[in-house]
């Protein structure tokens, strides 16, 4: 009997030791797999945009560049542009080549803080519902920490440039506000989509997207208010044609003329010029790297136009294979020839991205 009890006790000890050592394994049988042990997800499917015939209106459209105008007409346009209020000097410092290439977060914060009114505007803007911060930030440094340098710099540039281009005619305020909303939205879309499809240097894309609206705002001062109001709901290509008929060049090229008059860096002006050129430029006319950046930036800007104006209520119409309209034809050809951009057809339907953009629209 004693021997039996001893053997029974020994067996109980062995079982207890085994259970203690294997407890983690036992629990894992009933717990969901962790990220470390879950099987890796399969490759995301590629959904190619729908091929369609080039629209006649796009075949007939020819974008006019500034150098094609007679010198006296360029001089007259430049004179009118220079009569517009000039942004504060901080805008040019923030957009200088050296500052964009190498400035640290501390240097950016110091530059913004050197203009007290600018610091106040930047903090008011980044604390708005549009940026969705979990809690308000009390300093420019904190804003950079939570939102990143590119976002805060784009906010500062907009705060400096947009007031200088506000129209004198109150009837144009709604159009101006649409451009301002689209500028904010395009900057955020550039950051979100560049990250999702793996396009580097989103900072340059954000800057070019924001500055691409300079011409659209300045165009409000170049045309008769009635003409701008009539074109307010027109698509990008038709509006561009009417602008060329009235002024000689479209808004995108007018913005480049203004940036040159402001002595902006040549590289930035050229980036801005290339955005709107995508409307008439197939992929084969650009190097692969430039084609990806310019096509994605153009896509973000045109989608932002539609969403900010209320032409589109959500992202469904922006999914690449759902795009319609002549202004998107060559963007589609870029999507079909570039695997990174083709991936947008999948990414644009992910719940996280849809929710993020819907939050931006609600704000």
């Amino acid at each position: 009997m004693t021997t039996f009890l001893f053997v029974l006790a020994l067996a109980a000890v062995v079982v207890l030791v085994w259970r203690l050592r294997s407890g983690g394994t036992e629990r894992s049988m009933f717990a969901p797999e962790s990220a470390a042990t879950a099987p890796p997800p399969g490759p995301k499917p590629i959904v190619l945009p729908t091929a369609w015939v080039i629209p006649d209106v796009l075949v007939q459209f020819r974008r006019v560049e500034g150098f094609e105008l007679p010198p006296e007409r360029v001089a007259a346009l430049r004179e009118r542009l220079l009569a517009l209020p000039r942004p504060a000097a901080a805008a040019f410092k923030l957009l200088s080549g050296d500052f964009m290439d190498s400035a640290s977060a501390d240097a950016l914060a110091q530059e913004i803080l050197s203009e007290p009114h600018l610091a106040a505007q930047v903090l008011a803007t980044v604390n708005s519902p549009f940026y969705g911060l979990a809690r308000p930030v009390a300093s420019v440094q904190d804003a950079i920490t939570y939102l990143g340098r590119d976002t805060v710099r784009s906010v500062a540039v907009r705060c400096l440039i947009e007031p200088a281009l506000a129209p004198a005619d109150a009837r144009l305020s709604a159009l101006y506000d649409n451009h301002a909303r689209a500028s904010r939205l395009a900057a955020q879309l550039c950051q979100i989509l560049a990250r999702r499809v793996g396009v580097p240097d989103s900072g340059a894309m954000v800057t070019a997207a924001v500055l691409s609206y300079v011409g659209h705002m300045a165009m409000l001062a170049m045309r008769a208010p009635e003409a701008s109001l009539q074109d307010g709901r027109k698509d990008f290509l038709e509006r561009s044609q009417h602008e060329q008929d009235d002024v000689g060049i479209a808004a995108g090229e007018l913005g480049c003329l203004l940036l040159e008059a402001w002595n902006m860096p040549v590289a930035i002006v050229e980036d801005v010029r290339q955005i709107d050129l995508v409307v008439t430029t197939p992929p084969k006319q650009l190097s692969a790297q430039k084609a990806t950046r310019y096509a994605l930036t153009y896509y973000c800007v045109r989608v932002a136009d539609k969403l900010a104006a209320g032409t589109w209520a959500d992202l469904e119409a922006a999914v690449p294979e759902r795009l319609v309209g002549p202004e998107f034809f060559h963007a589609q050809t870029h999507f079909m020839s570039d695997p990174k951009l083709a991936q947008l057809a999948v990414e644009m339907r992910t719940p996280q991205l849809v929710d993020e953009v819907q939050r931006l629209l609600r704000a």
Side-chain angles (χ1 to χ4, degrees), residues 76-77 80-81 84 217-224 228 246-247 254:
L77 281 176
R80 292 180 66 189
L81 290 170
L84 298 174
M217 293 175 177
M219 185 61 78
L220 297 176
M222 297 293 112
R223 303 177 70 197
S228 294
D246 288 350
V247 179
L254 183 75

Side-chain angles (χ1 to χ4, degrees), residues 166-186:
D169 192 318
R171 291 175 296 171
L172 299 173
S173 295
L175 293 179
Y176 170 85
D177 290 342
N178 278 350
H179 292 319
R181 282 195 295 270
S183 171
R184 291 193 292 273
L185 188 56

Side-chain angles (χ1 to χ4, degrees), residues 89-101 103 107-109 111-112 118 152-158 160 207 268:
F92 305 104
K93 176 68 178 293
L94 292 174
L95 292 170
S96 67
D98 291 342
F99 198 90
M100 290 192 63
D101 291 340
L108 174 59
E111 187 61 34
I112 293 173
L118 174 60
V152 174
R153 181 172 57 206
S154 74
V155 169
V157 169
R158 289 201 310 272
L160 291 165
T207 299
I268 289 180

Side-chain angles (χ1 to χ4, degrees), residues 13-353:
V13 170
V14 170
V15 169
L16 179 60
V17 170
W18 177 83
R19 287 176 64 86
L20 288 173
R21 289 183 175 179
S22 61
T25 305
E26 246 188 333
R27 284 193 299 272
S28 70
M29 293 170 62
F30 302 98
E33 288 184 316
S34 67
T37 59
K44 292 181 179 179
I46 295 294
V47 181
L48 288 177
T50 304
W52 37 299
V53 178
I54 184 168
D56 289 340
V57 66
L58 183 57
V59 174
Q60 296 163 8
F61 177 77
R62 193 182 76 81
R63 177 183 157 110
V64 178
E65 297 195 44
F67 71 86
E68 299 179 68
L69 296 180
E72 60 275 13
R73 191 164 188 184
V74 173
L77 281 176
R78 186 186 294 269
E79 184 177 353
R80 292 180 66 189
L81 290 170
L82 287 175
L84 298 174
R86 185 179 175 87
F92 305 104
K93 176 68 178 293
L94 292 174
L95 292 170
S96 67
D98 291 342
F99 198 90
M100 290 192 63
D101 291 340
S102 58
S104 64
D106 287 342
L108 174 59
Q110 288 305 313
E111 187 61 34
I112 293 173
L113 290 168
S114 69
E115 302 271 354
H117 70 285
L118 174 60
Q121 284 182 295
V122 168
L123 286 175
T125 302
V126 301
N127 281 317
S128 69
F130 181 80
Y131 290 99
L133 293 176
R135 61 179 180 81
V137 296
S139 70
V140 174
Q141 289 87 344
D142 284 346
I144 295 171
T145 298
Y146 287 105
L147 292 176
R149 281 188 306 167
D150 294 336
T151 295
V152 174
R153 181 172 57 206
S154 74
V155 169
V157 169
R158 289 201 310 272
C159 288
L160 291 165
I161 288 180
E162 288 179 1
L165 299 173
D169 192 318
R171 291 175 296 171
L172 299 173
S173 295
L175 293 179
Y176 170 85
D177 290 342
N178 278 350
H179 292 319
R181 282 195 295 270
S183 171
R184 291 193 292 273
L185 188 56
Q188 291 299 96
L189 285 175
C190 281
Q191 283 201 321
I192 294 168
L193 297 183
R195 182 175 64 247
R196 281 185 168 269
V197 302
V199 177
D201 195 14
S202 63
M205 290 175 56
V206 168
T207 299
V210 168
L211 292 179
S212 74
Y213 285 93
V214 166
H216 296 280
M217 293 175 177
M219 185 61 78
L220 297 176
M222 297 293 112
R223 303 177 70 197
E226 294 76 15
S228 294
L229 290 169
Q230 287 177 359
D231 283 349
R233 306 293 290 185
K234 300 279 194 340
D235 67 36
F236 171 70
L237 195 67
E238 186 175 4
R239 192 169 71 244
S240 296
Q241 183 63 68
H242 291 173
E243 290 164 352
Q244 287 187 172
D245 294 342
D246 288 350
V247 179
I249 51 178
E253 189 65 19
L254 183 75
C256 293
L257 193 62
L258 179 55
L259 294 174
E260 289 170 351
W262 285 346
N263 295 316
M264 287 287 185
V266 173
I268 289 180
V269 176
E270 191 55 31
D271 273 352
V272 173
R273 175 174 284 113
Q274 290 295 333
I275 293 175
D276 282 2
L277 277 175
V278 170
V279 72
T280 55
T281 308
K284 63 184 179 181
Q285 293 184 16
L286 294 168
S287 67
Q289 183 180 9
K290 288 183 177 180
T292 300
R293 284 184 56 233
Y294 292 144
L296 183 57
T297 309
Y298 174 85
Y299 171 77
C300 291
V301 168
R302 297 284 80 82
V303 169
D305 286 345
K306 301 282 190 182
L307 293 172
T311 307
W312 291 347
D314 52 41
L315 275 184
E316 187 58 31
V319 174
E321 73 270 23
R322 293 286 184 90
L323 290 175
V324 295
E327 70 263 43
F328 288 111
F329 178 81
H330 282 303
Q332 288 278 53
T333 64
H334 284 271
F335 296 150
M336 288 187 282
S337 65
D338 188 328
K340 285 184 177 179
L341 296 181
Q343 186 61 35
L344 277 175
V346 176
E347 296 293 338
M348 293 294 286
R349 284 198 171 97
T350 58
Q352 182 185 12
L353 188 145

